[in-house]
Amino acid sequence: METAANTTLTATDRCILESYIPVVKGLSEYLGSGYEVVLHSLEKPDESVICIMNGHYTGREVGSPVTDFALEMLERIKTNEGAPYMTYMTQNKNGEPIRSTTIAIYGENHRIIGFVCINFYMNIPLFTFIQENYTSEHINFFTETFAENSREIIEKQVVKIRDEVLADKAISSNNKNKEIISRLSSCGIFNLKDAVILVAELLGISKNTVYLHLRHI
Protein backbone atom coordinates (compact mmCIF):
# COMPACT_ATOMS: atom_id res chain seq x y z
CA MET A 1 0.00 0.00 0.00
CA GLU A 2 1.31 3.44 -0.91
CA THR A 3 2.08 5.61 2.10
CA ALA A 4 2.52 9.36 2.43
CA ALA A 5 6.27 8.78 2.52
CA ASN A 6 6.42 7.42 -1.01
CA THR A 7 3.63 9.27 -2.83
CA THR A 8 4.82 9.79 -6.39
CA LEU A 9 3.01 12.63 -8.11
CA THR A 10 2.30 12.80 -11.83
CA ALA A 11 2.59 15.96 -13.91
CA THR A 12 -1.19 16.28 -13.68
CA ASP A 13 -1.06 15.93 -9.89
CA ARG A 14 1.45 18.75 -9.68
CA CYS A 15 -0.70 20.94 -11.92
CA ILE A 16 -3.67 20.28 -9.65
CA LEU A 17 -1.68 21.31 -6.58
CA GLU A 18 -0.33 24.42 -8.31
CA SER A 19 -3.89 25.40 -9.20
CA TYR A 20 -4.61 25.62 -5.47
CA ILE A 21 -1.98 28.32 -4.87
CA PRO A 22 -4.31 31.16 -6.03
CA VAL A 23 -7.03 29.56 -3.88
CA VAL A 24 -4.80 29.73 -0.81
CA LYS A 25 -3.82 33.34 -1.51
CA GLY A 26 -7.39 34.36 -2.32
CA LEU A 27 -8.74 32.74 0.85
CA SER A 28 -6.09 34.50 2.90
CA GLU A 29 -7.06 37.88 1.47
CA TYR A 30 -10.75 37.15 1.99
CA LEU A 31 -10.51 35.74 5.52
CA GLY A 32 -8.01 38.29 6.84
CA SER A 33 -4.85 38.29 8.90
CA GLY A 34 -6.34 36.10 11.65
CA TYR A 35 -6.21 33.05 9.40
CA GLU A 36 -3.26 30.93 8.41
CA VAL A 37 -3.92 29.13 5.10
CA VAL A 38 -1.59 26.30 4.08
CA LEU A 39 -1.15 24.13 1.00
CA HIS A 40 0.56 20.76 1.51
CA SER A 41 1.96 18.42 -1.13
CA LEU A 42 2.41 14.77 -0.16
CA GLU A 43 5.22 14.27 -2.65
CA LYS A 44 7.73 15.17 0.05
CA PRO A 45 6.03 14.96 3.48
CA ASP A 46 9.23 16.13 5.21
CA GLU A 47 8.90 19.47 3.41
CA SER A 48 5.26 19.36 2.36
CA VAL A 49 4.31 23.03 2.69
CA ILE A 50 4.39 24.54 -0.81
CA CYS A 51 2.38 27.68 -0.05
CA ILE A 52 1.51 29.33 3.25
CA MET A 53 -0.07 32.63 4.25
CA ASN A 54 0.26 34.10 7.76
CA GLY A 55 2.56 31.27 8.79
CA HIS A 56 3.70 33.21 11.87
CA TYR A 57 0.83 31.75 13.88
CA THR A 58 2.38 28.27 13.78
CA GLY A 59 5.96 29.28 12.98
CA ARG A 60 5.95 27.51 9.62
CA GLU A 61 7.10 28.48 6.15
CA VAL A 62 7.45 26.94 2.70
CA GLY A 63 9.39 23.70 3.14
CA SER A 64 7.99 22.86 6.57
CA PRO A 65 6.79 19.26 7.10
CA VAL A 66 3.28 17.88 7.12
CA THR A 67 1.61 17.62 10.54
CA ASP A 68 1.13 14.38 12.44
CA PHE A 69 -2.62 15.03 12.43
CA ALA A 70 -2.67 15.22 8.62
CA LEU A 71 -0.76 11.93 8.36
CA GLU A 72 -3.20 10.21 10.72
CA MET A 73 -6.12 11.68 8.81
CA LEU A 74 -4.64 10.40 5.55
CA GLU A 75 -4.41 6.86 6.87
CA ARG A 76 -7.99 6.97 8.17
CA ILE A 77 -9.23 8.11 4.75
CA LYS A 78 -7.31 5.35 3.01
CA THR A 79 -8.98 2.74 5.21
CA ASN A 80 -12.41 4.35 4.72
CA GLU A 81 -12.55 5.24 8.41
CA GLY A 82 -12.56 9.00 7.98
CA ALA A 83 -13.99 11.84 5.86
CA PRO A 84 -11.74 13.77 3.42
CA TYR A 85 -12.16 16.88 5.58
CA MET A 86 -12.24 17.64 9.29
CA THR A 87 -12.78 20.67 11.51
CA TYR A 88 -11.27 20.65 14.99
CA MET A 89 -9.66 22.67 17.79
CA THR A 90 -5.93 22.63 18.41
CA GLN A 91 -3.13 24.79 19.84
CA ASN A 92 0.06 26.31 18.47
CA LYS A 93 3.47 25.97 20.14
CA ASN A 94 2.61 28.80 22.53
CA GLY A 95 -0.54 27.05 23.72
CA GLU A 96 -2.80 29.55 21.95
CA PRO A 97 -6.16 28.25 20.67
CA ILE A 98 -6.61 27.63 16.95
CA ARG A 99 -9.73 26.46 15.15
CA SER A 100 -8.67 24.38 12.17
CA THR A 101 -10.00 22.61 9.14
CA THR A 102 -8.02 20.18 6.98
CA ILE A 103 -9.31 19.24 3.52
CA ALA A 104 -7.86 16.53 1.31
CA ILE A 105 -6.94 17.25 -2.32
CA TYR A 106 -7.44 14.44 -4.83
CA GLY A 107 -5.33 13.91 -7.92
CA GLU A 108 -5.26 11.31 -10.66
CA ASN A 109 -6.79 7.91 -9.95
CA HIS A 110 -8.58 9.37 -6.92
CA ARG A 111 -5.37 9.47 -4.86
CA ILE A 112 -4.91 12.05 -2.13
CA ILE A 113 -1.99 14.23 -3.18
CA GLY A 114 -2.16 17.06 -0.68
CA PHE A 115 -4.14 19.08 1.83
CA VAL A 116 -5.50 22.58 2.23
CA CYS A 117 -5.50 23.66 5.87
CA ILE A 118 -7.15 26.76 7.35
CA ASN A 119 -6.23 27.76 10.89
CA PHE A 120 -8.02 30.57 12.72
CA TYR A 121 -5.94 32.22 15.43
CA MET A 122 -8.60 32.73 18.09
CA ASN A 123 -6.57 35.23 20.12
CA ILE A 124 -6.69 37.83 17.35
CA PRO A 125 -7.95 41.14 18.80
CA LEU A 126 -11.65 41.69 18.12
CA PHE A 127 -10.87 45.22 16.92
CA THR A 128 -8.51 43.88 14.25
CA PHE A 129 -11.05 41.28 13.08
CA ILE A 130 -13.85 43.86 12.80
CA GLN A 131 -11.63 46.44 11.12
CA GLU A 132 -10.48 44.00 8.42
CA ASN A 133 -13.92 42.58 7.69
CA TYR A 134 -16.34 45.43 8.20
CA THR A 135 -14.66 48.76 7.45
CA SER A 136 -14.64 50.26 3.98
CA GLU A 137 -10.91 51.07 4.23
CA HIS A 138 -10.05 47.41 3.77
CA ILE A 139 -12.82 46.33 1.39
CA ASN A 140 -13.32 46.93 -2.32
CA PHE A 141 -16.97 47.34 -3.24
CA PHE A 142 -18.37 45.95 -6.50
CA THR A 143 -21.85 45.25 -7.82
CA GLU A 144 -22.59 41.54 -8.01
CA THR A 145 -25.82 39.84 -9.02
CA PHE A 146 -26.79 36.79 -6.97
CA ALA A 147 -29.40 35.41 -9.35
CA GLU A 148 -31.61 32.33 -9.32
CA ASN A 149 -31.04 31.80 -13.04
CA SER A 150 -28.89 33.10 -15.90
CA ARG A 151 -31.77 35.02 -17.50
CA GLU A 152 -31.90 37.34 -14.52
CA ILE A 153 -28.17 38.09 -14.86
CA ILE A 154 -28.46 38.78 -18.58
CA GLU A 155 -31.49 41.02 -18.18
CA LYS A 156 -29.87 43.08 -15.43
CA GLN A 157 -26.68 43.63 -17.41
CA VAL A 158 -28.55 44.51 -20.61
CA VAL A 159 -30.71 47.09 -18.83
CA LYS A 160 -27.73 48.60 -17.01
CA ILE A 161 -25.49 48.86 -20.08
CA ARG A 162 -28.30 49.91 -22.39
CA ASP A 163 -29.18 52.82 -20.10
CA GLU A 164 -25.53 53.87 -19.91
CA VAL A 165 -25.08 53.79 -23.69
CA LEU A 166 -28.36 55.53 -24.49
CA ALA A 167 -27.43 58.34 -22.09
CA ASP A 168 -24.01 58.80 -23.71
CA LYS A 169 -24.44 61.52 -26.36
CA ALA A 170 -20.94 60.86 -27.66
CA ILE A 171 -22.15 57.58 -29.18
CA SER A 172 -24.10 57.99 -32.40
CA SER A 173 -27.55 56.45 -32.73
CA ASN A 174 -26.30 54.09 -35.43
CA ASN A 175 -23.66 52.68 -33.08
CA LYS A 176 -25.73 52.34 -29.91
CA ASN A 177 -26.55 48.65 -30.28
CA LYS A 178 -23.04 47.81 -31.39
CA GLU A 179 -21.64 49.54 -28.30
CA ILE A 180 -24.11 47.78 -26.02
CA ILE A 181 -23.17 44.40 -27.43
CA SER A 182 -19.47 45.25 -27.21
CA ARG A 183 -19.80 46.11 -23.51
CA LEU A 184 -21.88 43.01 -22.83
CA SER A 185 -19.18 40.94 -24.50
CA SER A 186 -16.53 42.57 -22.30
CA CYS A 187 -18.61 41.55 -19.26
CA GLY A 188 -18.61 37.91 -20.40
CA ILE A 189 -22.39 37.80 -20.76
CA PHE A 190 -22.25 35.82 -24.00
CA ASN A 191 -20.68 32.89 -22.14
CA LEU A 192 -24.15 32.22 -20.71
CA LYS A 193 -26.59 29.92 -22.47
CA ASP A 194 -29.07 31.59 -24.84
CA ALA A 195 -27.52 35.03 -24.15
CA VAL A 196 -27.58 36.00 -27.83
CA ILE A 197 -31.28 35.22 -28.15
CA LEU A 198 -32.21 37.07 -24.97
CA VAL A 199 -30.04 40.11 -25.75
CA ALA A 200 -31.63 40.34 -29.21
CA GLU A 201 -35.08 40.15 -27.64
CA LEU A 202 -34.33 42.85 -25.07
CA LEU A 203 -32.77 45.18 -27.63
CA GLY A 204 -35.48 44.60 -30.23
CA ILE A 205 -33.08 43.34 -32.89
CA SER A 206 -32.47 40.00 -34.58
CA LYS A 207 -30.03 37.46 -33.22
CA ASN A 208 -28.22 37.64 -36.56
CA THR A 209 -27.55 41.32 -35.87
CA VAL A 210 -26.12 40.40 -32.48
CA TYR A 211 -23.86 37.79 -34.13
CA LEU A 212 -22.82 40.37 -36.74
CA HIS A 213 -21.71 42.85 -34.08
CA LEU A 214 -19.90 40.11 -32.13
CA ARG A 215 -17.94 39.13 -35.24
CA HIS A 216 -16.86 42.74 -35.67
CA ILE A 217 -15.64 43.07 -32.10
Side-chain angles (χ1 to χ4, degrees):
M1 182 178 68
E2 185 180 70
T3 66
N6 66 354
T7 300
T8 302
L9 302 188
T10 65
T12 298
D13 291 332
R14 295 189 185 97
C15 286
I16 291 171
L17 285 173
E18 287 175 7
S19 74
Y20 275 82
I21 292 177
V23 175
V24 167
K25 294 180 178 179
L27 278 174
S28 177
E29 181 174 310
Y30 170 70
L31 295 171
S33 64
Y35 288 83
E36 177 190 75
V37 189
V38 193
L39 176 62
H40 291 276
S41 166
L42 291 178
E43 186 166 30
K44 296 180 180 179
D46 293 328
E47 45 188 67
S48 70
V49 176
I50 58 175
C51 182
I52 185 168
M53 308 298 292
N54 296 321
H56 53 276
Y57 289 121
T58 59
R60 294 179 298 173
E61 57 187 18
V62 171
S64 292
V66 69
T67 66
D68 49 0
F69 178 87
L71 290 175
E72 291 176 14
M73 180 176 167
L74 176 63
E75 294 306 315
R76 287 197 297 270
I77 296 171
K78 286 183 176 181
T79 56
N80 297 316
E81 295 178 1
Y85 52 85
M86 186 172 291
T87 299
Y88 52 95
M89 294 295 299
T90 187
Q91 295 179 334
N92 63 13
K93 293 179 180 179
N94 298 322
E96 297 168 311
I98 291 177
R99 188 171 189 268
S100 301
T101 187
T102 296
I103 306 166
I105 300 172
Y106 287 87
E108 285 193 298
N109 302 317
H110 202 63
R111 294 185 313 150
I112 297 176
I113 58 174
F115 291 100
V116 169
C117 302
I118 304 172
N119 303 309
F120 176 51
Y121 177 67
M122 299 188 70
N123 281 355
I124 185 173
L126 181 60
F127 172 78
T128 301
F129 182 83
I130 293 175
Q131 185 182 47
E132 289 185 349
N133 290 278
Y134 297 101
T135 63
S136 59
E137 297 178 10
H138 297 81
I139 301 175
N140 294 316
F141 285 91
F142 296 95
T143 300
E144 186 171 15
T145 302
F146 299 99
E148 296 182 3
N149 53 66
S150 60
R151 182 184 181 94
E152 183 181 345
I153 297 174
I154 297 168
E155 288 179 343
K156 183 171 181 178
Q157 282 297 317
V158 169
V159 170
K160 173 179 175 290
I161 291 175
R162 181 185 61 193
D163 290 347
E164 291 174 352
V165 171
L166 292 179
D168 190 342
K169 296 180 180 179
I171 304 172
S172 68
S173 298
N174 292 335
N175 288 322
K176 294 287 188 185
N177 284 335
K178 181 179 180 181
E179 180 63 23
I180 293 170
I181 292 167
S182 177
R183 295 189 188 186
L184 288 171
S185 178
S186 297
C187 293
I189 285 298
F190 292 104
N191 291 315
L192 297 175
K193 183 180 179 181
D194 296 329
V196 169
I197 296 173
L198 185 53
V199 167
E201 176 187 320
L202 293 169
L203 295 180
I205 58 179
S206 70
K207 65 179 182 179
N208 289 334
T209 300
V210 175
Y211 281 123
L212 177 64
H213 289 316
L214 285 173
R215 284 196 295 269
H216 290 166
I217 296 173

